[in-house]
Amino acid sequence: MNASSPSSSQERPQATICLLREEDLAAADRILRLAFGTFLGMPDPLQFMGDADYVRTRWLADPSAAFCAELSGELVGTNFATRWGSVGFFGPLTIRPDLWDRGIAQKLLGPTMELFDRWGIHHAGLFTFASSTKHIGLYQKFGFWPRFLTALMDLPVRVQGSAFSANGARFSELPLSEKEPCLKACRELTDSIYEGLDVAREILAVDNQKLGDTLLLWDGSALAGFAVCHVGAGTEAGSGKCYIKFGAVRSGLQAAREFQRLLEACKAFSNSQGVETLMAGVNLARLDAYREMLQAGFRATRYGVAMQRNGDAGYNRPDVFLIDDWR
Ligand SMILES: CC(C)(COP(=O)(O)OP(=O)(O)OC[C@H]1O[C@@H](n2cnc3c(N)ncnc32)[C@H](O)[C@@H]1OP(=O)(O)O)[C@@H](O)C(=O)NCCC(=O)NCCS
């Protein structure tokens, strides 16, 4: 669907770009829901995403990576950048619908690209609507090219009373002295998949903001895998849901089996949290991971496309068993 017309004939207001301030979070949240809800044709656009939250949680995770556009001092759009070590992605990018096609998103993307440069990002990307000529055209102007589809998937989880409670298997339960070594082990695992990939910020955001937990899959004293999960209202999951924002297992001969174990752990964790749905996304370039998820009972609710700077593959390779969707 493409709800817009080309912008060249429209008046171009002089938007100012700055960092998002705490007092503007409510307005930013409203614009995000209004923009997506309008684009998707929802009867009440403000109902988009229910009680899930992206604005406050991402702002708290890194306020220096949250940009806003203002017109005459009024907030009219935002964009959030995320740094995972050598990997960077951005979004949600949203502009107030009455101001679409006036070049404001492009103004927000300029500083976002500069931030990626300052961070020394090697692999940059975003997730967007695969069928929108506007979205794909907009991001191509910044050197991002459509690559593989990304499936957003759901798995209904029934309560079986098998809570995931193995000792030390949750980051939140580790003694303080073990947290830094655990982050190091996670870093070492992701670095073995793609040089410099590091989601420690995501693990810490979940821990500090109490958004859910990070599940740790040990094989003896070695970390075999982990999954960063958001749970419930006020997180990226929403009520009744657990969302695997990032999950990965070590590559190698045991990867498929370990990935199944990780999915089982996520299911059991969801059970222990009393949610009905486990959500996760995967780039289809990681074909075996996608197949394992289908095998585990996940069903796609929507497909989007990953756009990657210069068309670089990054960690989207068939041998990689990793869950993320950059949504
Ligand atoms: C997507 C969104 C952020 C774009 O914001 P915007 O301020 O309208 O975008 P801009 O005016 O800066 O840029 C639009 C660009 O789209 C491109 N475009 C539009 N229609 C196009 C088409 N049919 N084919 C190719 N490119 C097209 C053009 O490059 C255009 O820029 P130009 O005309 O100045 O060259 C906004 O529409 C929005 O909030 N949508 C709802 C939420 C959303 O989908 N967010 C993005 C999720 S990835």
Side-chain angles (χ1 to χ4, degrees):
M1 172 176 151
N2 189 359
S4 68
S5 55
S7 57
S8 45
S9 58
Q10 302 267 15
E11 183 202 335
R12 300 247 159 180
Q14 288 309 308
T16 334
I17 307 300
C18 51
L19 287 176
L20 183 61
R21 294 171 297 264
E22 187 167 16
E23 58 267 30
D24 289 329
L25 294 182
D29 182 81
R30 191 176 187 282
I31 290 173
L32 183 143
R33 290 171 199 275
L34 190 63
F36 276 108
T38 302
F39 178 75
L40 294 168
M42 289 175 63
D44 179 1
L46 288 173
Q47 296 306 312
F48 176 76
M49 226 170 53
D51 60 10
D53 175 278
Y54 277 68
V55 168
R56 175 167 287 276
T57 53
R58 290 202 181 178
W59 180 82
L60 280 171
D62 189 355
S64 69
F67 295 103
C68 69
E70 288 179 350
L71 274 182
S72 312
E74 193 184 354
L75 188 89
V76 295
T78 52
N79 191 28
F80 297 82
T82 297
R83 181 188 198 176
W84 286 352
S86 60
V87 174
F89 65 93
F90 67 82
L93 165 64
T94 52
I95 305 298
R96 210 174 71 196
D98 58 301
L99 292 164
W100 286 356
D101 300 314
R102 317 274 177 93
I104 300 176
Q106 289 166 80
K107 281 203 114 178
L108 271 166
L109 285 172
T112 308
M113 297 304 112
E114 286 162 20
L115 185 62
F116 282 175
D117 289 344
R118 287 203 297 282
W119 282 346
I121 295 300
H122 288 158
H123 181 58
L126 65 115
F127 170 79
T128 194
F129 296 97
S131 58
S132 169
T133 50
K134 170 177 175 175
H135 288 69
I136 290 180
L138 165 64
Y139 301 130
Q140 280 176 179
K141 286 175 110 173
F142 291 84
F144 294 85
W145 298 95
R147 300 293 291 166
F148 281 83
L149 290 176
T150 292
L152 307 188
M153 307 174 92
D154 275 4
L155 174 73
V157 278
R158 284 184 308 274
V159 177
Q160 296 152 339
S162 58
F164 182 67
S165 60
N167 205 13
R170 291 188 194 177
F171 188 82
S172 68
E173 290 172 355
L174 294 176
L176 201 57
S177 60
E178 284 177 31
K179 289 198 167 173
E180 191 46 50
C182 178
L183 291 174
K184 193 163 168 263
C186 293
R187 216 174 267 136
E188 192 267 322
L189 189 152
T190 49
D191 182 74
S192 72
I193 293 173
Y194 182 79
E195 194 177 353
L197 174 63
D198 175 7
V199 298
R201 274 165 187 266
E202 223 54 73
I203 298 171
L204 289 172
V206 165
D207 201 43
N208 295 336
Q209 296 180 47
K210 308 220 177 314
L211 303 175
D213 217 332
T214 296
L215 312 183
L216 306 162
L217 203 66
W218 295 100
D219 181 11
S221 60
L223 187 69
F226 67 96
V228 186
C229 299
H230 285 222
V231 183
T235 77
E236 293 185 24
S239 279
K241 293 175 185 162
C242 171
Y243 168 51
I244 310 172
K245 179 151 186 187
F246 183 94
V249 299
R250 204 174 286 282
S251 298
L253 290 177
Q254 302 302 318
R257 202 176 55 85
E258 296 294 21
F259 191 65
Q260 291 160 5
R261 274 181 68 208
L262 189 67
L263 294 177
E264 280 304 317
C266 292
K267 275 199 254 180
F269 174 67
S270 300
N271 278 184
S272 75
Q273 302 299 298
V275 304
E276 293 101 49
T277 308
L278 177 59
M279 300 154 65
V282 65
N283 184 303
L284 302 201
R286 303 173 220 139
L287 192 55
D288 287 344
Y290 175 53
R291 286 195 181 118
E292 287 295 344
M293 290 172 73
L294 290 173
Q295 190 65 33
F298 280 90
R299 291 292 171 261
T301 54
R302 180 181 284 276
Y303 289 92
V305 67
M307 296 186 71
Q308 292 157 224
R309 195 159 63 181
N310 304 323
D312 287 345
Y315 51 88
N316 294 313
R317 307 188 307 264
D319 63 309
V320 169
F321 285 82
L322 185 152
I323 293 170
D324 77 350
D325 53 40
W326 293 344
R327 78 177 77 166

